[in-house]
Amino acid sequence: QVQLVESGGGSVQAGGSLRLSCAASGYAFSTYCMGWFRQVPGEERTWVALISGYSTPTVAASVRGRFTISKDNAKNILYLQMASLKPEDTAMYYCAADLTQTWCWEPMQFNYWGQGTQVTVSS
C-alpha cells in the first residue's frame, strides 16, 4: 500500500535551515505529482511546494526564494530544503501524493498523506 513517511523536522532559530524528507513506497514514485503542505493548529492546511512527475517545481509565494522542493527518484524520497526560516514558518509539515496525474494541474487530488513532521522556528 502507499506509504509516505516524513522526517527531518525540529526546532531551529530564525534564519536557520532544515531539510525535510519524505520516504515514499507502494507506488511508482517518479510518475506522479507530489507536494509539501503545512498546517498550524486552528488553521487550514496550505500548500508550500509542488513537484510534478517530470520534476517541475512550483513554490508558494510565501516561501519562494527560501524553500526548494526536489526529489530523488532512485531513492523514492521527496525533499523540502528550507532556509532563512522565520517564526511564521512554524507548523506541522506534511508530504502528499496525487496519484491521478503526472503534472500538478488543478484540480489536484492529494489523497495520500504522511503523518507529518513538526517544524518550530524561534525568534
Side-chain angles (χ1 to χ4, degrees):
Q1 71 275 22
V2 175
Q3 281 195 316
L4 301 171
V5 180
E6 301 97 334
S7 61
S11 297
V12 295
Q13 290 196 324
S17 299
L18 282 174
R19 187 176 77 162
L20 305 184
S21 299
C22 173
S25 61
Y27 69 102
F29 175 81
S30 64
T31 301
Y32 298 104
C33 170
M34 294 195 70
W36 285 100
F37 295 74
R38 65 187 181 186
Q39 187 171 26
V40 176
E43 298 183 11
E44 287 191 0
R45 191 174 299 185
T46 59
W47 73 277
V48 175
L50 308 171
I51 190 164
S52 75
Y54 300 111
S55 297
T56 303
T58 305
V59 181
S62 59
V63 301
R64 196 167 296 148
R66 300 189 297 121
F67 290 12
T68 303
I69 187 170
S70 63
K71 60 177 182 165
D72 186 330
N73 288 334
K75 297 181 179 179
N76 287 5
I77 299 178
L78 177 72
Y79 298 104
L80 185 68
Q81 180 68 51
M82 305 185 294
S84 302
L85 282 161
K86 305 175 181 180
E88 51 264 42
D89 295 318
T90 295
M92 184 72 80
Y93 283 73
Y94 300 89
C95 70
D98 177 356
L99 302 193
T100 68
Q101 62 172 311
T102 300
W103 291 107
C104 297
W105 286 339
E106 293 285 359
M108 286 172 273
Q109 300 179 43
F110 287 101
N111 45 11
Y112 293 95
W113 295 83
Q115 82 289 348
T117 186
Q118 178 68 38
V119 172
T120 302
V121 184
S122 57
S123 57

